[in-house]
C-alpha cells in the first residue's frame, strides 16, 4: 500500500489517525517509515541523541502480586528473596558508582560520598516489588534520606503499580499519596507497568496488575500536581497491531490533557533474554518461556524499528521516544536512532554487576561506548539530566 | 534521488571503484538500504531467504599463525590444545545428519605436524562413511598444505578434491588489503595468494564463498578494494556462490565467527589497536552489507551474519541486501561465553525470516532449494 497520503500528512504536520498508524504497521516500506520518523524526530530534537547516567535500585524483590511471567519477584521467605535497608541503598548509591566501566570510573575516588557533584550519575531509578509489610512511611523515609545524602540527584521512582499499592496500604487517596511522595523528594515517575492497556490481552499477560484505566489515572493525577513521567508499551506477545495503536491513542489523549509525559518507551517482549529480568520491574519477565507455552522468541528486529518509527509519528505530542538499549540490545537501539528515537536511556549502574574474571558486563555500558554508538549513527551525543537538559557538552 | 542510476539492475551501469567509495562515504543508511533492497528483490524475486543446516567442525585449534584477532588458536603445549579424533568427528557428523544437516564446514588451525596425507585421509574417511557435503579448508589452510607438500596450489586442490573436498569456505580473507593484513595477520597468506587459491579452485570446478571481516583498523578504501578484488575474480571465474561480510566485534559477548573470543585476547587487541576498541556498530554493518549488495553485481547471494550480529539485526539485514541467513551452526550456536549458553534454534531463524514477511527455505551449498519451511 502506498504511504503517499500519510507522507503528505507528515510533511504538512497533520496528526495521524489510528487508521494511519495501522496502515503503517501493515506496511513493509521500512525505508519510508524511517525517513518520515527521522524527519519528525529532527523537527523536535534536531540531530540530538540523548543519554543519561543513572543508577538503578530495586529495594526488594518480594512482591505480593507474583505476576505469572515475572522472573524478578519472590515471595517472602522464598530462596533468593531480598530486602534492602535505607542504609544499604545510600551505601550503594555512594559506592557502587565503581560498578560502571569506562570514563566514569576514572573520576571515582574514595571521597565520593561527600563529593556528590562528582558522582558518575545524575539520576536514581527506583522500582521494586510490592512488599507485603513495608509501610508507606518507609518509602517516604527512603526518599528523604536519599535526598538528604544526595541533594543533587534526581529521584525517578515507583511505577504506577507501586503508587496504586501505596495508596491502598496507606489508605490515602491517590492524590494525597502522590503529594506525600513528592514532598518527600520524588522528582518523577518511570513509565513501567503500562504493558498493554487492552483488557483481554492484559488478562493474559498480567492479570494481577492494575488495569490500564487505573494506570492512566495514576499518571493523570501525577501530572496534575506537577510530576512528570514516562510511558511504556510492552509488545510482541499476544497483542495485535490494533491493541498497540489503541494503547498509544490513550497515551496521546492523556498527553493532550496534561503534557506530563516526557518519553515514550516501547519495550519488546523477549522471554529468552534473561539478562533483562532484573532491570524492568513491572513488565512481565517469564520464569520459563516453555512452561507457559505461550510465547515464541521475539526475534523481530524489523518490528522493533517499525514500532519505534510509528510511535514517533503517532505520538506527536511526546517530546521524546526512547530506544531502551538494555531491552532492545545496543545494535537495535542504535539503529532506532535512524527510525525516530532520540534517547538511548543511559549508562545504567546496577546493584549486582558481577565482573567475573574481567568479563564484560552486558548490563552497564560506558559513556564512551554510548557516545561511540551515537556518533556512528551520525547523531550528536548529548548527556542529559532527567528533564532532557544537557549536562555538559561533549566535544 | 541522487544515485538513481544504481537503483535497478537493468540499467545498472556497474558502479566503479570511485563511485563505490563515494556512495559508501556519502550516502545515508536508508538510501543505501533502499538501493540494496531493490537489487535483492530483483535477484531473488519470490522473497525467498535461504539457509543451510550444517555443522562447523574444527579439527584442531593448534595453529602456527597466531593471528592477533583470533581467540581460537592454542599453542601445542597448551592444556586446551586439541586434535579431534575420528570417533568424535564421526559422532558429530552423525548428529548433523540426524538433525537434517546436509553439510559439514570443516576448518582448523595450521598444525605444525600435519601434512597433506593427514587431510587426504581425513576427507577419504568422511566420504567413505557418510553421504555429506564437505565444505572445508579456507585458503590459509590450503596454502599451508601446499607449501608443506611442496606442491602447487592447483595440484594440492586437485588432490583434495579427489579425496572428497566438495567446496571451499571463504574464510581467512579478513580484509583483502595487504596494508591491513600486515598489521592484523602478518603470517597469514597475502591478498594475492588468497585470491589465487580461489581462482585455482574455481578453475577446477570447486565452488567457494568469500568473506570479509571489517570493523577493525581498515578504511573505507580498504573495504572497496576488497569488494573490487572479489568482483574482478568473479568476472573471470563465476566460482563464488555467496559473499559474507561480518564484523569484528571486540566488545561484544555475542558469538564470534569461528569460536568465542577470549576476553584476554580481546583486551590485548584493544591495547594494540586503539581503533578496534568498539568494533563495527549496527549502522556500520548495514552500510557495508548494503554496499556489498550494490557493488557485487555478479555475486548471486549475500549472507547475513546472525552469528556476529544477533538474530534481530540479521533479520533487518534481509532488507539491506542480504538474501541468505547462512548456516544454522549446529556446533557454534552453543557457545559458552562467561558461563552463559546462548542458543539459536532453527525455529528462531525461521521466525526471524517470516517476521520480515519473507519465505524461508533450506538450501544446499550450491543454493539449490531442498525444501520450503
Ligand atoms: S511484575 Fe511487578 S508487580 Fe508483577 S510480580 Fe513482578 S514485581 Fe510484582
Ligand atoms: S585465524 Fe586461522 S590462521 Fe590465524 S591464528 Fe586463528 S586459526 Fe590460525
Amino acid at each position: 500500500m502506498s504511504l503517499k497520503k500519510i507522507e503528505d500528512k507528515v510533511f504538512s504536520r497533520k496528526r495521524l489517525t489510528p487508521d494511519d498508524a495501522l496502515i503503517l504497521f501493515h506496511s513493509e516500506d521500512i525505508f519510508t517509515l524511517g525517513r518520515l520518523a527521522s524527519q519528525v524526530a529532527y523537527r523536535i530534537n534536531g540531530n540530538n541523541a540523548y543519554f543519561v547516567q543513572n543508577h538503578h535500585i530495586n529495594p526488594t524483590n518480594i512482591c505480593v502480586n507474583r505476576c505469572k511471567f515475572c522472573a524478578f519477584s519472590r515471595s517472602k521467605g522464598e530462596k533468593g528473596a531480598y530486602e534492602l535497608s535505607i542504609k544499604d541503598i545510600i551505601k550503594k548509591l555512594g559506592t557502587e558508582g565503581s560498578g560502571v566501566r569506562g570514563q566514569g570510573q576514572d573520576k571515582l575516588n574514595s571521597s565520593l560520598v561527600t563529593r556528590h557533584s562528582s558522582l558518575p550519575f545524575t539520576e536514581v531509578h527506583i522500582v521494586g516489588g510490592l512488599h507485603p509489610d513495608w509501610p508507606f512511611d518507609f518509602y517516604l523515609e527512603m526518599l528523604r534520606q536519599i535526598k538528604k545524602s544526595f541533594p543533587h540527584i534526581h529521584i525517578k521512582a515507583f511505577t504506577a503499580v507501586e503508587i496504586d499499592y501505596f495508596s491502598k496500604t496507606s489508605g490515602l487517596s491517590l492524590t494525597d499519596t502522590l503529594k506525600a511522595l513528592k514532598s518527600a523528594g520524588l522528582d518523577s515517575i518511570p513509565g513501567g507497568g503500562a504493558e498493554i492497556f487492552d483488557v483481554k490481552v492484559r488478562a493474559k499477560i498480567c492479570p494481577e496488575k492494575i488495569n490500564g484505566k487505573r494506570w492512566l489515572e495514576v499518571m493523570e493525577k501525577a501530572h496534575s500536581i506537577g510530576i512528570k513521567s514516562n510511558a511504556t508499551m510492552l509488545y510482541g506477545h499476544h497483542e495485535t497491531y490494533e491493541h498497540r495503536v489503541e494503547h498509544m491513542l490513550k497515551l496521546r489523549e492523556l498527553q493532550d490533557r496534561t503534557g506530563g509525559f516526557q518519553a515514550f518507551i516501547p519495550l519488546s517482549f523477549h522471554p529468552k533474554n534473561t539478562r533483562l529480568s532484573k532491570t524492568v520491574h513491572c513488565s512481565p519477565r517469564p520464569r520459563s518461556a516453555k512452561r507457559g507455552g505461550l510465547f515464541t522468541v521475539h526475534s523481530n528486529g524489523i518490528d522493533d524499528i517499525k514500532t519505534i518509527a510509528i510511535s514517533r509519528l503517532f505520538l506527536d505530542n511526546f517530546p521524546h521516544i526512547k530506544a531502551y538499549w538494555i531491552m532492545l540490545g545496543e545494535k537495535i537501539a542504535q539503529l532506532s536512532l535512524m527510525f525516530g528515537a532520540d534517547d538511548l536511556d543511559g549508562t545504567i549502574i546496577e546493584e549486582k554487576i558481577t565482573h567475573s574474571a574481567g568479563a564484560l558486563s552486558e548490563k552497564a555500558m560506558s559513556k564512551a561506548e554510548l557516545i561511540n554508538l551515537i556518533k556512528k549513527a551520525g547523531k550528536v551525543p548529548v548527556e542529559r539530566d532527567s528533564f532532557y537538559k544537557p549536562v555538559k557538552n561533549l566535544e | 534521488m541522487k544515485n538513481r542510476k544504481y537503483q535497478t539492475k537493468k540499467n545498472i551501469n556497474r558502479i566503479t571503484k570511485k563511485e563505490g567509495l563515494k556512495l559508501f562515504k556519502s550516502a545515508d543508511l536508508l538510501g543505501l538500504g533502499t538501493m540494496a533492497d531493490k537489487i535483492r528483490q530483483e535477484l531473488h524475486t519470490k522473497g525467498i531467504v535461504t539457509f543451510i543446516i550444517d555443522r562447523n567442525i574444527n579439527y584442531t585449534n593448534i595453529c602456527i599463525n597466531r593471528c592477533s584477532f583470533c581467540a581460537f588458536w592454542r599453542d601445542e603445549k597448551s592444556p586446551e590444545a586439541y586434535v579431534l579424533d575420528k570417533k568424535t568427528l564421526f559422532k558429530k557428523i552423525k548428529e548433523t545428519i540426524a538433525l537434517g544437516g546436509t553439510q559439514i564446514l570443516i576448518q582448523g588451525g595450521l598444525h605444525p605436524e600435519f601434512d597433506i596425507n593427514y587431510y587426504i585421509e581425513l576427507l577419504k574417511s568422511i566420504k567413505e562413511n557418510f553421504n555429506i557435503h564437505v565444505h572445508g579448508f579456507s585458503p590459509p589452510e590450503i596454502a599451508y598444505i601446499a607449501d608443506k607438500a611442496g606442491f602447487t596450489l592447483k595440484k594440492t586442490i586437485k588432490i583434495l578434491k579427489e579425496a572428497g573436498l566438495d567446496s571451499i569456505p571463504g574464510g581467512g580473507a579478513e580484509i583483502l588489503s595487504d596494508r591491513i593484513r600486515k598489521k592484523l595477520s602478518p603470517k597469514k597468506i597475502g591478498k594475492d595468494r588468497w585470491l589465487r587459491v580461489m581462482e585455482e579452485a574455481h578453475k577446477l570446478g570447486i565452488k567457494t564463498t568469500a568473506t570479509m571481516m571489517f570493523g577493525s583498523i581498515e578504511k573505507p578504501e580498504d573495504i572497496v578494494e576488497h569488494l573490487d578484488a572479489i568482483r574482478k575474480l568473479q568476472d573471470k571465474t563465476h566460482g563464488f556462490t555467496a559473499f559474507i561480510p561480518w564484523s569484528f566485534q571486540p566488545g561484544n559477548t555475542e558469538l564470534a565467527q569461528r569460536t568465542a573470543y577470549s576476553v584476554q585476547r580481546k583486551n590485548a587487541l584493544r591495547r594494540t589497536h586503539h581503533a578496534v576498541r568498539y568494533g563495527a556498530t549496527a549502522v556500520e554493518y548495514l552500510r557495508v552489507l548494503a554496499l556489498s549488495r550494490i557493488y557485487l553485481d555478479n555475486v548471486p547471494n549475500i549472507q547475513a551474519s546472525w552469528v556476529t550480529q544477533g538474530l534481530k539485526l540479521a533479520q533487518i539485514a534481509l532488507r539491506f541486501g542480504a538474501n541468505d541467513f547462512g548456516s544454522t551452526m549446529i556446533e557454534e550456536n552453543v557457545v559458552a561465553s562467561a558461563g552463559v549458553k546462548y542458543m539459536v534454534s532453527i525455529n528462531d531463524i525461521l521466525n526471524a525470516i517470516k517476521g520480515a514477511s519473507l519465505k524461508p527455505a533450506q538450501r544446499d551449498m550450491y543454493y539449490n532449494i531442498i525444501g520450503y519451511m
Side-chain angles (χ1 to χ4, degrees):
Chain A
M1 197 182 303
S2 163
L3 303 179
K4 189 80 190 61
K5 255 178 63 193
I6 296 174
E7 278 186 77
D8 290 344
K9 273 192 180 177
V10 173
F11 290 142
S12 53
R13 304 180 184 228
K14 286 212 189 81
R15 179 164 264 199
L16 299 190
T17 64
D19 281 342
D20 294 334
L22 277 175
I23 289 170
L24 293 175
F25 269 117
H26 287 287
S27 166
E28 300 296 339
D29 189 355
I30 57 170
F31 302 107
T32 300
L33 251 181
R35 278 189 204 100
L36 292 178
S38 294
Q39 200 190 8
V40 173
Y42 185 79
R43 257 183 231 157
I44 303 174
N45 292 298
N47 249 332
N48 290 351
Y50 299 95
F51 67 94
V52 64
Q53 304 214 67
N54 64 12
H55 196 314
H56 280 213
I57 296 272
N58 303 130
T60 182
N61 61 352
I62 298 172
C63 185
V64 296
N65 261 15
R66 301 312 314 273
C67 299
K68 205 167 14 169
F69 294 102
C70 173
F72 165 75
S73 65
R74 296 284 181 280
S75 295
K76 218 181 147 183
E78 194 184 330
K79 205 172 150 248
Y82 73 86
E83 297 170 341
L84 298 182
S85 67
I86 293 175
K87 237 172 102 192
D88 292 337
I89 293 171
I90 302 287
K91 214 172 126 211
K92 275 172 185 295
L93 289 175
T95 58
E96 278 200 359
S98 53
V100 76
R101 289 185 288 139
Q103 292 189 343
Q105 208 164 5
D106 310 334
K107 295 194 193 105
L108 286 172
N109 59 46
S110 50
S111 60
L112 190 77
V113 184
T114 47
R115 288 180 54 217
H116 301 146
S117 57
S118 68
L119 283 175
F121 55 92
T122 58
E123 173 186 285
V124 55
H125 174 104
I126 309 171
V127 293
L130 312 180
H131 197 287
D133 310 324
W134 284 0
F136 185 42
D137 276 344
F138 174 76
Y139 292 95
L140 297 177
E141 190 53 27
M142 185 192 297
L143 294 172
R144 274 186 223 112
Q145 293 288 337
I146 294 172
K147 272 290 166 189
K148 208 175 129 204
S149 304
F150 310 100
H152 304 297
I153 296 297
H154 178 105
I155 305 179
K156 183 173 83 185
F158 311 130
T159 62
V161 179
E162 291 164 277
I163 290 168
D164 167 76
Y165 183 68
F166 297 158
S167 132
K168 283 194 184 109
T169 55
S170 68
L172 294 173
S173 71
L174 253 188
T175 309
D176 286 344
T177 307
L178 284 158
K179 276 186 180 156
L181 289 167
K182 193 183 176 190
S183 60
L186 181 79
D187 294 304
S188 68
I189 298 177
E195 322 308 7
I196 201 94
F197 294 143
D198 181 78
V199 179
K200 282 203 191 115
V201 179
R202 208 173 174 85
K204 273 190 204 160
I205 61 165
C206 53
E208 305 85 352
K209 216 167 260 179
I210 57 168
N211 62 30
K213 223 177 117 218
R214 182 72 173 165
W215 188 95
L216 289 160
E217 202 184 328
V218 173
M219 290 304 175
E220 180 152 18
K221 292 265 153 64
H223 296 171
S224 75
I225 62 164
I227 302 176
K228 297 263 182 193
S229 78
N230 291 332
T232 58
M233 173 175 80
L234 188 76
Y235 65 94
H237 41 87
H238 289 284
E239 88 295 352
T240 62
Y241 289 147
E242 281 79 3
H243 295 139
R244 295 189 200 182
V245 175
E246 182 199 289
H247 185 98
M248 290 194 281
L249 183 65
K250 293 240 165 75
L251 292 174
R252 191 170 77 176
E253 284 167 1
L254 179 55
Q255 179 75 336
D256 275 344
R257 287 204 299 277
T258 67
F261 287 121
Q262 299 205 96
F264 176 69
I265 313 162
L267 302 171
S268 70
F269 185 80
H270 199 321
K272 270 199 182 171
N273 216 341
T274 51
R275 77 179 200 207
L276 310 174
S277 62
K278 287 204 177 119
T279 54
V280 183
H281 147 74
C282 284
S283 285
R285 298 282 146 241
R287 290 150 181 280
S288 156
K290 288 255 165 54
R291 201 172 61 185
L294 290 163
F295 300 98
T296 53
V297 178
H298 185 78
S299 50
N300 204 330
I302 290 180
D303 193 28
D304 290 337
I305 54 175
K306 273 170 79 174
T307 306
I308 291 268
I310 294 165
S311 67
R312 177 61 291 166
L313 294 169
F314 189 74
L315 296 174
D316 52 4
N317 52 5
F318 272 64
H320 303 285
I321 303 292
K322 188 187 283 189
Y324 192 41
W325 70 263
I326 208 158
M327 294 288 283
L328 292 170
E330 62 199 60
K331 288 179 185 291
I332 304 299
Q334 184 205 26
L335 200 54
S336 298
L337 298 176
M338 328 293 280
F339 285 81
D342 62 278
D343 187 8
L344 291 183
D345 200 75
T347 62
I348 296 156
I349 306 166
E350 273 200 284
E351 301 169 45
K352 287 173 188 160
I353 301 168
T354 43
H355 289 269
S356 55
L360 298 177
S361 166
E362 290 181 338
K363 283 180 178 172
M365 195 173 350
S366 76
K367 191 165 142 182
E369 271 175 288
L370 267 169
I371 292 173
N372 180 56
L373 281 185
I374 292 170
K375 282 188 174 166
K376 292 282 168 59
K379 303 276 168 182
V380 180
V382 179
E383 182 181 347
R384 63 167 175 87
D385 70 6
S386 306
F387 296 120
Y388 290 84
K389 298 220 175 57
V391 166
K392 57 181 106 107
N393 285 332
L394 306 156
E395 332 99 81
Chain B
M1 190 212 263
K2 60 179 176 173
N3 306 318
R4 177 164 289 270
K5 69 173 177 172
Y6 309 128
Q7 280 189 8
T8 62
K9 175 111 198 303
K10 274 170 215 110
N11 59 6
I12 196 162
N13 306 316
R14 162 174 281 198
I15 72 170
T16 64
K17 241 174 129 170
K18 229 173 115 196
E19 287 169 326
L21 189 62
K22 200 174 152 214
L23 193 63
F24 188 48
K25 280 182 164 169
S26 59
D28 73 303
L29 174 72
L30 296 177
L32 278 173
T34 308
M35 284 178 229
D37 196 42
K38 272 208 179 111
I39 297 170
R40 194 250 328 151
Q41 283 179 43
E42 278 158 20
L43 289 173
H44 305 279
T45 45
K46 289 180 201 126
I48 291 165
V49 172
T50 45
F51 64 91
I52 189 162
I53 302 181
D54 75 348
R55 182 163 196 168
N56 191 354
I57 299 175
N58 298 313
Y59 52 90
T60 182
N61 63 353
I62 298 168
C63 185
I64 54 163
N65 260 16
R66 307 182 170 199
C67 303
S68 67
F69 58 86
C70 173
F72 173 72
W73 66 265
R74 291 290 178 277
D75 189 84
E76 233 180 323
K77 288 184 209 85
S78 157
E80 287 165 321
Y82 73 83
V83 176
L84 220 59
D85 60 60
K86 277 277 163 60
K87 215 177 122 209
T88 319
L89 174 72
F90 285 1
K91 195 171 149 252
K92 282 174 189 280
I93 298 176
K94 253 187 227 135
E95 285 164 4
T96 308
I97 293 171
L99 286 164
T102 58
Q103 164 178 303
I104 54 164
L105 165 57
I106 184 157
Q107 300 183 105
L110 312 182
H111 193 295
E113 252 122 64
F114 289 177
D115 61 15
I116 193 162
N117 293 319
Y118 171 85
Y119 299 92
I120 293 171
E121 214 276 311
L122 184 71
L123 289 165
K124 277 195 174 148
S125 70
I126 294 172
K127 284 294 179 176
E128 271 159 23
N129 288 285
F130 301 99
N131 176 20
I132 196 152
H133 182 103
V134 180
H135 187 48
F137 312 130
S138 59
E141 289 166 271
I142 305 258
Y144 179 70
I145 300 168
D147 289 350
K148 275 210 119 179
F151 294 162
T152 60
L153 287 173
K154 187 176 167 190
K155 186 170 173 190
T156 308
I157 298 169
K158 216 170 151 217
I159 292 171
L160 294 173
K161 188 185 177 191
E162 275 157 16
L165 183 67
D166 295 304
S167 60
I168 294 177
E174 329 314 359
I175 285 280
L176 292 174
S177 147
D178 284 330
R179 189 180 73 84
I180 303 298
R181 298 177 80 79
K182 260 186 215 122
K183 289 189 190 152
L184 277 186
S185 46
K187 290 197 188 153
K188 218 177 231 183
I189 56 171
K191 173 184 175 183
D192 290 343
R193 195 111 197 267
W194 189 95
L195 289 165
R196 233 177 314 126
V197 171
M198 290 312 194
E199 182 165 1
E200 293 298 349
H202 295 169
K203 278 192 199 146
L204 288 164
I206 291 186
K207 296 278 181 190
T208 76
T209 54
T211 63
M212 172 169 74
M213 183 190 81
F214 64 97
S216 62
I217 50 173
E218 82 287 341
K219 299 220 167 69
E221 284 77 5
D222 300 309
I223 287 176
V224 174
E225 188 185 327
H226 184 111
L227 292 175
D228 196 61
I230 300 292
R231 191 170 75 177
K232 275 205 185 104
L233 180 54
Q234 180 75 336
D235 274 344
K236 230 158 124 187
T237 64
H238 289 281
F240 291 119
T241 57
F243 183 70
I244 313 157
W246 60 282
S247 71
F248 173 65
Q249 309 251 330
N252 196 315
T253 51
E254 292 187 47
L255 312 180
Q257 183 77 343
R258 292 181 72 155
T259 179
Y261 286 100
S262 76
V263 172
Q264 287 104 309
R265 206 143 312 150
K266 265 188 262 177
N267 288 343
L269 185 58
R270 281 182 183 196
R271 279 195 295 275
T272 41
H273 302 292
H274 181 74
V276 186
R277 183 141 175 218
Y278 302 114
T281 63
V283 168
E284 292 161 279
Y285 172 72
L286 292 179
R287 291 181 66 87
V288 170
L289 189 83
L291 179 73
S292 308
R293 180 62 288 169
I294 296 164
Y295 201 90
L296 298 175
D297 53 7
N298 54 4
V299 176
N301 303 292
I302 306 283
Q303 257 185 44
S305 173
W306 65 263
V307 181
T308 60
Q309 305 304 317
L311 213 44
K312 282 190 177 195
L313 189 60
Q315 182 209 33
I316 294 172
L318 298 175
R319 300 297 307 278
F320 283 78
N323 67 292
D324 188 84
F325 232 66
S327 153
T328 53
M329 293 257 184
I330 293 165
E331 179 104 334
E332 301 312 306
N333 66 7
V334 183
V335 166
S337 95
V340 184
K341 284 204 169 162
Y342 183 80
M343 170 102 182
V344 172
S345 72
I346 292 179
N347 256 339
D348 296 339
I349 290 177
L350 294 179
N351 282 339
I353 297 171
K354 287 179 188 161
S357 305
L358 296 163
K359 290 189 211 76
Q362 186 188 351
R363 63 163 172 86
D364 64 15
M365 193 273 164
Y366 306 103
Y367 287 79
N368 298 312
I369 288 179
I370 295 174
Y372 294 94
M373 299 212 156

